[in-house]
Amino acid sequence: MSFKTISVIGLGYIGLPTAAIIASRGIDVIGVDVNQHAVDLINQGKVHIVEPDLDIIVRSAVQTGNLRATVTPEPADAFMIAVPTPFKDDHQPDLSYIEAAAKAIAPVLEKGNLVVLESTSPVGSTEKLAGWLADARPDLIFPLNGAASTDVNVAYCPERVLPGYVLQELISNDRVVGGLSSECAQKAIALYEIFVKGDCLITNARTAEMAKLTENSFRDVNIAFANELSIICDTLQINVWELIKLSNRHPRVNILKPGPGVGGHCIAVDPWFIVSSDPNNAKIIRTAREVNDGKPHYVVDKVIKAADRFKDPVIACLGLSFKADIDDLRESPAMGIVDILAKKEVGKILVVEPNIGELPDKLEGRVTKVDLSNALKEADITVLLVDHKEFRNISLEKLHGCMTIDTRGVLGG
Ligand code: SAJ
């Protein structure tokens, strides 16, 4: 199967880099997004998200004419859907963006097309997608109910890239490709082989959906172990960082790092998709989520206890993003901690975040953004929330004996 034109639906953290990489291989790519502002920026060769080198590759793809963006889907040989799949208040998955994408592309679908879902989704979502497409296009045959031959192929292939390394990992990572039929999977593999240097591993759609959820749940459970250990170590007055370093010298032990909680739009979300599919059996996975979600509150309590020792405490919070050296504040435990401290009026809150220009609206007027040296000069209590490179070598001298709560184990050299 040859792909002359590929459409990427959803031009966010995954869709835009994917579109630009495919365009850089000389294929015509039509990027589709509901956000007119993002579409306009991309058509000017600019980007609306921060990811190393993304601006360069998008600019070049737009300049060569291989990438253009629009708000209205157009016919293409293949459609890759990379839209958000958040969860609702009750932790149930919200598939409305996938349904909307299906309804948007259905009118332009043609016989011979391939549709691949990339969004992290609960098991069964690819079948649902095919169902929504079939409802909108009764004139076409979709791979449902064991149909022998189909007009449109539908597959699932989860993205697995690490924010900060997206452009490298999109090319080098292995991909799990699950079809609604083996023909669907084969066609999807042909699509990914255009730009993936890793192996493309073939399976069915349900297994591929579960593989993505499993990978992120594995990480969540392991981080929960580290976070739980850090709390137990506080009780037992043991330095958890030293403990982990020592334990990790065992040839079959590899404990992850404790932190202020788990953030981002993936690991803090995806395990709930497994829990909602089988709530009675997903015990460790649910508990891990609860342990990790509880960690920010534990940190807040520690700061409140420390602040009680001062009359008018000045608290310097180092870092706001959900992990080191990025500007992404989504589901960030650091943001949550600063927000609660401000709400509880624990003291004067100073925030240092080298990766963002201005405070997010949520914190504006409630905390003060300062640079690192001013924060350290003024603070009675320093709370390290993110291990940004700027914070990794702060000497004990610069901390001038002020109280420290180091959630990432990097303060003091
Ligand atoms: N974290 C810890 N301790 C650790 C490692 C991470 O507290 O030892 C925290 C981080 O600070 C952060 C959160 O976990 O708050 C998540 O960070 P991360 O670097 O583990 O992962 P993400 O969310 O940036 O990206 C993950 C990756 N999944 C896995 O590593 C299994 C990535 O490959 C996925 O593509 C991505 O989720 C996604 O899109 O699903």
Side-chain angles (χ1 to χ4, degrees):
M1 186 174 187
S2 75
F3 300 97
K4 288 205 179 72
T5 307
I6 295 174
S7 182
V8 178
I9 315 296
L11 297 173
Y13 282 85
I14 300 302
L16 182 56
T18 304
I21 284 183
I22 298 175
S24 75
R25 301 293 186 270
I27 290 171
D28 284 333
V29 178
I30 304 165
V32 181
D33 202 288
V34 290
N35 177 347
Q36 182 72 55
H37 173 67
V39 163
D40 293 342
L41 272 183
I42 293 163
N43 284 331
Q44 292 162 30
K46 297 180 185 154
V47 294
H48 59 297
I49 47 183
V50 177
E51 177 62 35
D53 298 333
L54 182 63
D55 51 342
I56 299 168
I57 183 167
V58 167
R59 188 168 59 237
S60 138
V62 171
Q63 271 168 2
T64 59
N66 287 108
L67 173 64
R68 72 191 162 79
T70 167
V71 288
T72 319
E74 296 173 21
D77 298 315
F79 295 84
M80 302 167 83
I81 301 177
V83 294
T85 41
F87 58 60
K88 302 180 213 157
D89 288 344
D90 55 357
H91 291 136
Q92 293 300 315
D94 173 3
L95 300 187
S96 59
Y97 294 92
I98 300 181
E99 188 174 357
K103 287 187 175 144
I105 63 169
V108 298
L109 278 184
E110 290 165 4
K111 206 171 166 171
N113 279 171
L114 167 69
V115 179
V116 185
L117 179 61
E118 285 213 0
S119 312
T120 304
S121 305
V123 173
S125 300
T126 311
E127 284 153 10
K128 280 197 179 137
L129 165 64
W132 287 318
L133 294 172
D135 288 346
R137 291 297 301 271
D139 55 317
L140 293 171
I141 301 170
F142 289 84
L144 286 166
N145 311 317
S149 72
T150 60
D151 293 330
V152 176
N153 289 298
V154 183
Y156 182 75
C157 178
E159 62 79 13
R160 308 164 107 183
V161 289
L162 197 67
Y165 299 87
V166 169
L167 292 175
Q168 295 96 299
E169 289 206 358
L170 267 179
I171 294 168
S172 62
N173 284 2
D174 295 341
R175 299 294 291 245
V176 177
V177 183
L180 285 185
S181 68
S182 63
E183 187 192 343
C184 294
Q186 293 294 354
K187 294 218 163 127
I189 283 184
L191 172 68
Y192 284 93
E193 281 177 345
I194 294 171
F195 64 98
V196 172
K197 290 216 171 93
D199 293 335
C200 290
L201 310 161
I202 193 163
T203 182
N204 58 48
R206 293 175 75 83
T207 309
E209 289 160 346
M210 189 63 177
K212 167 71 189 193
L213 304 179
T214 301
E215 291 157 13
N216 280 352
S217 298
F218 173 86
R219 198 152 167 84
D220 196 44
V221 168
N222 282 282
I223 298 169
F225 180 78
N227 278 332
E228 186 168 291
L229 259 188
S230 73
I231 295 172
I232 296 168
C233 281
D234 275 355
T235 311
L236 302 180
Q237 296 174 353
I238 290 170
N239 178 329
V240 70
W241 308 101
E242 185 194 1
L243 172 82
I244 291 175
K245 216 188 215 164
L246 295 172
S247 300
N248 281 349
R249 294 294 284 269
H250 184 289
R252 284 172 296 283
V253 173
N254 184 15
I255 302 169
L256 293 181
K257 296 189 182 108
V262 166
H265 38 292
C266 311
I267 295 189
V269 176
D270 303 356
W272 288 116
F273 292 178
I274 297 183
V275 176
S276 74
S277 298
D278 192 356
N280 291 333
N281 293 311
K283 295 191 186 96
I284 292 178
I285 295 173
R286 179 203 293 273
T287 304
R289 273 288 68 244
E290 288 166 355
V291 168
N292 287 333
D293 276 353
K295 192 69 196 287
H297 302 284
Y298 178 78
V299 175
V300 165
D301 288 346
K302 253 179 135 170
V303 178
I304 291 173
K305 266 190 207 130
D308 276 348
R309 301 189 190 183
F310 298 88
K311 190 162 167 276
D312 296 306
V314 178
I315 303 162
C317 295
L318 309 190
L320 275 185
S321 62
F322 87 83
K323 65 177 188 177
D325 305 325
I326 59 168
D327 69 334
D328 196 335
L329 304 181
R330 287 178 294 174
E331 316 287 333
S332 167
M335 267 285 291
I337 289 166
V338 172
D339 182 41
I340 302 175
L341 290 174
K343 226 175 249 157
K344 290 190 182 265
E345 298 179 357
V346 177
K348 180 177 175 192
I349 314 276
L350 308 177
V351 169
V352 186
E353 178 43 84
N355 298 293
I356 59 168
E358 280 162 31
L359 282 173
D361 291 348
K362 198 175 172 187
L363 296 180
E364 195 53 68
R366 302 164 62 214
V367 304
T368 313
K369 187 171 181 295
V370 294
D371 66 22
L372 180 60
S373 61
N374 282 330
L376 295 181
K377 247 183 250 154
E378 234 190 287
D380 298 310
I381 304 165
T382 299
V383 188
L384 186 131
L385 295 171
V386 189
D387 48 337
H388 290 315
K389 60 179 184 308
E390 292 82 353
F391 306 153
R392 273 176 227 151
N393 290 314
I394 299 173
S395 62
L396 285 174
E397 193 190 355
K398 284 218 171 104
L399 292 167
H400 63 81
C402 91
M403 284 189 74
T404 59
I405 295 172
D406 181 1
T407 68
R408 305 268 183 178
V410 295
L411 278 181

